[in-house]
Amino acid sequence: MSAVNEDEIVIGEGVALSTGAAPVTMRMLSGAIDTIVYFCGTMLIVTGLDATLGQVMNSAAGAAVAIATLVVCFAVIPALIETFTRGYSLGRLAAGVRVVRDDGGPVSFRHAFIRSFTAIGEIYFTFGLVAVTTSALSARGKRVGDILAGTYAMRVRGAGKALPPVMMPPHLAPWARAADIRRLPDGLALTCRTFLGRAPGLRPESRARLGTELGAAVADYVSPAAPAGTHPEYLIAAVLAERSRREFGLEMHRQSRHTAETARMTRLPYGLSDS
């Protein structure tokens, strides 16, 4: 079986999404736009502070205010923007890039602040030399801030499309709902998911061989066995679809319990009025 691609993540049961890591050139373009925007904004703020406070501050206080302004403008504000926009900035919007966690989820303020604070040293103090070098050597184009924060820059325009969802074969639905289906290893689930999506384009002999091998591997995680004579591709589809249905049901039940528990905790004890 094929190995899991380093540039892919697996979500749910065997649903593979290409990470679509942005190339270094796109990151350089977005970074250049952001640097110009933040530099111009910083100059306006520094000029305004100097005009209003320059006469009442000595040189030491002025230096402290200048350093604090630089940190706020180049670390705190970019982190806040990145957090509230879920990984975007003006430069990334223009270049079609978004910063996400390594698992594909949205970044938090912690991730964004680590990235922006590290950028002061690896981008602004070195004119981007460290960031470009690190990104060129990384499989996902990560700079030092991404490595420390556990993030990477993902393409949001021109990225590959995800495979269509796996549908349950109707004649196997009763069996799949009653069967004991263990969780498939990520590698096997990903291979099965990719096989089903690309099966129509395979040569007949390759499709039959791979289907038989994967069907036999999947059957080891299912009890009781599928009805006699079940086609391997139908077996694989039924197992993946049923596992996804069960995982989705468990997640919805968890969220429902969390909502009910939250409502119970905020409700006043019995007999007490909220007026």
Side-chain angles (χ1 to χ4, degrees):
M1 297 180 191
S2 60
V4 178
N5 193 325
E6 184 180 357
D7 198 31
E8 287 182 334
I9 55 177
V10 183
I11 62 175
E13 272 301 323
V15 180
L17 298 177
S18 173
T19 61
V24 178
T25 52
M26 295 176 65
R27 300 201 61 176
M28 290 176 63
L29 173 61
S30 65
I33 296 174
D34 287 336
T35 299
I36 294 173
V37 172
Y38 293 138
F39 179 80
C40 293
T42 302
M43 290 299 99
L44 289 175
I45 294 175
V46 170
T47 302
L49 290 176
D50 184 65
T52 56
L53 302 178
Q55 302 299 325
V56 297
M57 291 190 304
N58 55 33
S59 58
V65 170
I67 293 175
T69 302
L70 291 176
V71 173
V72 169
C73 292
F74 283 93
V76 177
I77 292 178
L80 290 173
I81 293 175
E82 194 170 287
T83 302
F84 290 129
T85 60
R86 302 172 70 85
Y88 286 104
S89 65
L90 185 61
R92 295 190 200 107
L93 281 173
V97 176
R98 177 191 175 197
V99 173
V100 296
R101 301 194 310 258
D102 282 341
D103 61 359
V107 294
S108 65
F109 179 77
R110 177 179 65 84
H111 300 98
F113 184 77
I114 292 175
R115 295 185 73 261
S116 59
F117 188 79
T118 308
I120 295 177
E122 67 167 319
I123 295 180
Y124 304 124
F125 284 176
T126 64
F127 300 98
L129 181 62
V130 174
V132 172
T133 303
T134 308
S135 298
L137 298 176
S138 172
R140 291 187 180 179
K142 290 188 172 191
R143 60 178 179 84
V144 176
D146 290 313
I147 296 174
L148 295 177
T151 58
Y152 72 98
M154 176 181 69
R155 296 193 311 270
V156 294
R157 289 200 296 267
K161 296 182 179 179
L163 295 172
V166 177
M167 305 303 294
M168 169 67 72
H171 65 285
L172 291 180
W175 164 79
R177 288 180 179 271
D180 179 14
I181 304 176
R182 289 183 290 155
R183 185 182 186 278
L184 303 181
D186 285 345
L188 175 59
L190 174 59
T191 304
C192 291
R193 180 69 181 87
T194 305
F195 167 72
L196 290 179
R198 299 176 180 174
L202 298 176
R203 292 188 301 175
E205 58 272 18
S206 299
R207 179 174 179 174
R209 178 178 57 81
L210 287 173
T212 301
E213 293 178 358
L214 293 174
V218 169
D220 291 338
Y221 294 86
V222 182
S223 179
T230 299
H231 193 281
E233 292 183 23
Y234 286 145
L235 169 63
I236 296 170
V239 171
L240 293 182
E242 179 61 19
R243 282 293 306 179
S244 295
R245 186 191 70 82
R246 295 181 184 182
E247 292 292 336
F248 179 76
L250 288 174
E251 178 61 20
M252 294 301 295
H253 179 66
R254 187 193 67 81
Q255 292 186 13
S256 177
R257 289 185 57 185
H258 176 72
T259 302
E261 185 68 15
T262 302
R264 188 181 68 83
M265 294 296 293
T266 56
R267 191 165 51 240
L268 290 175
Y270 178 76
L272 294 182
S273 173
D274 58 356
S275 59

